[in-house]
Amino acid sequence: MESVWMNDTEIRKREALPGDMEVPVVVIGAGLAGILTAYYLKQAGIRAVVLEADRIGSGQTKNTTAKITSQHNLIYDRLIRMFGRRMAAYYAGANEAAIGEYERLILEKRIDCDFVKCPAYLYSQAGTELLKREAEAAEALGIKASFGTECELPFTVAGVVRFENQARFHPLRFLEKMAEEVEVYEQTKVLKVTGKRVETARGCVTTEHTVFAAHFPFINVPGYYFARMYQERSYVTALEGAKLPEGMYLGIDREGLSFRTCGNLLLLGGGSHRTGINHGSRAGGECRYEMLRSRGRELYPGCREVLRWSAQDCMTLDGLPYIGRFSRRRPGWYVATGFGKWGMTTAMVSARILTALIGGRDCPEADIFSPQRHFTVQAARELAVHGAHTAKGLAKHFLPAGNREIIPNCPHMGCRLEWNPEEESYDCPCHGSRFDREGHLIDGPAQTDCERHDNSGV
Ligand code: FES
């Protein structure tokens, strides 16, 4: 199922790594975060090569809804309470600056990528209290935000928070142009990283700095990202014939939806769930795509689905991304992961922070994003939930499956995979790796295909 962005963009192919080399920086992953990091490093006079296992933009960048926004659901009121006003202001400032930087680059390089400035809204049909608090917190941190009750959606809302000067664009056309300025090797899967050696099937790169920007880091130790991140899937349907809002919308209620205009289409999103927990799919309830389609028909009678696709997002324990040093035990390693649903602004924030760190420049906002930041009460609670899911997935490894069932175990750490009938994939409930029907790897952190085995004893 192709996204609307893949439908009209063909990024030029690149060569694979030609053999061993030595460079100051290796960036693993040619999505938005990796390409932008390499671009800013080059601007700073530092050579970086990007190694991509597949093709440029073939990971999660192609599946986004491409909202460039500092509005990351309900976050600012919580951030102030968790980290204090100064740190929360760094988060807000870095994301607002990211929006401005996209605009600057797009204008300077004349990138034809449907960049449109527009407001972003959070809405609720249930109540106003959380929205009012969020509007106040965002405003206190310097964001142009306001609470209101008016919006363009085809149903009544209790209230909205409106952020001004946000934007939307075509992520692959932007990526295509930016990648032209960067040294990228495709079809070059990184197999192993040890100290200053990055090993691929095509050769070994010796480097001072390695940036892990390929979604979920595949190295388990040090870093332990598997213990403090999980993945979520969410779904999008592109509707023709729906009324198109000027603003971008996100519902904060349990069944809240995402709305965003894209040309003559409405992108309607929702149905998020932890990867590998497939209740609500065809096996156990309404198909998530069908849920979106039926909401679309109900809200916009006569509309027609022209495309649908899904996204996979890395979620952290406290809801903030991990950007910075990979681990205290690996001084030359860096990471950009855990972007949640906010990959566009966070990719830009990552690129700016990592360029500063590698270049030895001061970067006060880096602390709030640091993977080594202090552990909050919320993070502790999430850790317990995450640990329970992992323990359950691992325990199933040792249980016999049903009589005729053929359910593989995950090659990452051995959890029992779950069959996802909606997308016809095997999904891991522990850390979110995914495999197709034949066991070929779709999403990491697993590095290899899974072995299908027959538990029926036949
Ligand atoms: Fe970690 Fe499957 S992704 S065990």
Side-chain angles (χ1 to χ4, degrees):
M1 283 170 264
E2 289 202 339
S3 71
V4 69
W5 324 116
M6 296 162 76
N7 218 19
D8 67 356
T9 314
E10 182 74 38
I11 298 179
R12 178 172 70 81
K13 278 192 180 157
R14 310 298 160 85
E15 297 298 318
L17 186 72
D20 293 354
M21 65 165 67
E22 189 170 343
V23 287
V25 183
V26 169
V27 178
I28 304 171
L32 208 41
I35 293 292
L36 285 173
T37 301
Y39 170 79
Y40 286 109
L41 286 166
K42 187 177 170 190
Q43 297 298 301
I46 302 168
R47 183 180 170 206
V49 301
V50 182
L51 304 180
E52 167 57 47
D54 190 0
R55 300 282 317 280
I56 294 168
S58 61
Q60 296 311 314
T61 302
K62 69 182 188 314
N63 297 329
T64 171
T65 51
K67 296 173 174 175
I68 306 176
T69 176
S70 60
Q71 186 181 72
H72 296 175
N73 209 324
L74 294 174
I75 188 168
Y76 292 108
D77 179 55
R78 181 169 61 85
L79 273 189
I80 293 173
R81 283 185 280 111
M82 279 193 325
F83 293 99
R85 191 159 161 160
R86 189 169 65 91
M87 293 301 245
Y90 281 137
Y91 185 92
N95 280 287
E96 284 278 289
I99 302 169
E101 188 57 14
Y102 273 112
E103 184 174 19
R104 188 190 72 73
L105 284 174
I106 288 164
L107 288 176
E108 182 188 294
K109 296 175 186 303
R110 298 172 192 236
I111 304 177
D112 178 12
C113 62
D114 302 335
F115 180 81
V116 177
K117 296 278 286 281
C118 58
Y121 297 84
L122 294 175
Y123 74 85
S124 171
Q125 296 185 277
T128 58
E129 185 53 35
L130 293 173
L131 294 171
K132 283 180 179 165
R133 287 217 312 256
E134 185 68 4
E136 269 171 36
E139 222 187 343
L141 298 174
I143 294 174
K144 216 167 165 213
S146 57
F147 172 81
T149 53
E150 298 290 312
C151 80
E152 309 156 277
L153 296 176
F155 47 79
T156 310
V157 297
V160 295
V161 176
R162 175 179 164 126
F163 279 25
E164 307 294 342
N165 297 322
Q166 312 292 296
R168 58 181 193 249
F169 73 155
H170 189 310
L172 291 187
R173 282 207 220 130
F174 175 81
L175 184 68
E176 179 182 28
K177 185 80 177 181
M178 296 307 296
E180 287 298 330
E181 307 201 26
V182 172
E183 188 176 348
V184 189
Y185 297 103
E186 292 183 333
Q187 304 298 336
T188 302
K189 181 169 177 164
V190 173
L191 305 173
K192 198 170 169 192
V193 183
T194 41
K196 298 183 176 186
R197 284 171 59 84
V198 179
E199 293 176 34
T200 80
R202 309 278 184 168
C204 176
V205 187
T206 308
T207 184
E208 284 301 313
H209 306 280
T210 304
V211 176
F212 293 80
H215 198 57
F216 201 125
F218 63 87
I219 302 242
N220 291 334
V221 182
Y224 302 94
Y225 291 92
F226 68 88
R228 46 201 182 119
M229 263 196 332
Y230 62 96
Q231 299 195 67
E232 272 194 11
R233 300 198 59 67
S234 54
Y235 302 83
V236 183
T237 178
L239 302 174
E240 199 175 59
K243 188 161 182 284
L244 303 174
E246 183 218 346
M248 306 179 289
Y249 289 82
L250 179 68
I252 65 163
D253 305 329
R254 203 169 129 73
E255 304 293 326
L257 297 171
S258 158
F259 299 77
R260 178 252 208 244
T261 294
C262 171
N264 65 342
L265 300 176
L266 177 77
L267 307 188
L268 183 65
S272 289
H273 64 96
R274 183 179 174 117
T275 303
I277 306 294
N278 293 314
H279 316 304
S281 63
R282 256 178 281 168
E286 190 182 29
C287 159
R288 290 181 179 97
Y289 284 123
E290 186 44 44
M291 177 277 290
L292 283 178
R293 272 194 295 268
S294 84
R295 289 305 309 275
R297 283 193 300 268
E298 178 193 312
L299 297 172
Y300 306 100
C303 71
R304 185 176 74 91
E305 180 185 79
V306 293
L307 285 167
R308 62 176 171 150
W309 70 92
S310 57
Q312 167 112 329
D313 298 303
C314 290
M315 315 301 289
T316 64
L317 301 178
D318 60 11
L320 301 185
Y322 298 130
I323 304 168
R325 297 196 188 279
F326 191 95
S327 157
R328 290 195 177 94
R329 287 162 55 192
R330 295 286 184 279
W333 291 11
Y334 303 84
V335 68
T337 190
F339 291 4
K341 316 279 180 193
W342 315 111
M344 302 297 97
T345 38
T346 313
M348 181 64 82
V349 169
S350 302
R352 306 307 301 265
I353 289 176
L354 296 178
T355 302
L357 294 178
I358 291 169
R361 283 191 288 112
D362 269 355
C363 187
E365 66 267 36
D367 288 354
I368 182 81
F369 297 98
S370 168
Q372 289 81 44
R373 63 180 170 262
H374 74 255
F375 208 58
T376 62
V377 174
Q378 180 192 340
R381 267 193 231 117
E382 286 294 319
L383 182 65
V385 174
H386 180 44
H389 277 291
T390 306
K392 201 168 154 193
L394 280 168
K396 280 190 184 173
H397 174 123
F398 299 103
L399 294 175
N403 262 356
R404 295 183 166 277
E405 226 175 338
I406 303 171
I407 300 285
N409 290 324
C410 179
H412 177 231
M413 294 179 77
C415 290
R416 173 71 53 84
L417 299 173
E418 301 282 335
W419 175 244
N420 174 353
E422 198 159 340
E423 303 198 86
E424 305 203 336
S425 58
Y426 291 104
D427 300 351
C428 182
C430 290
H431 317 110
S433 293
R434 297 180 66 237
F435 307 84
D436 69 14
R437 187 181 274 280
E438 279 70 47
H440 300 125
L441 180 67
I442 304 173
D443 291 308
Q447 277 284 75
T448 58
D449 297 342
C450 67
E451 265 183 46
R452 304 247 341 249
H453 59 91
D454 189 343
N455 288 304
S456 64
V458 178

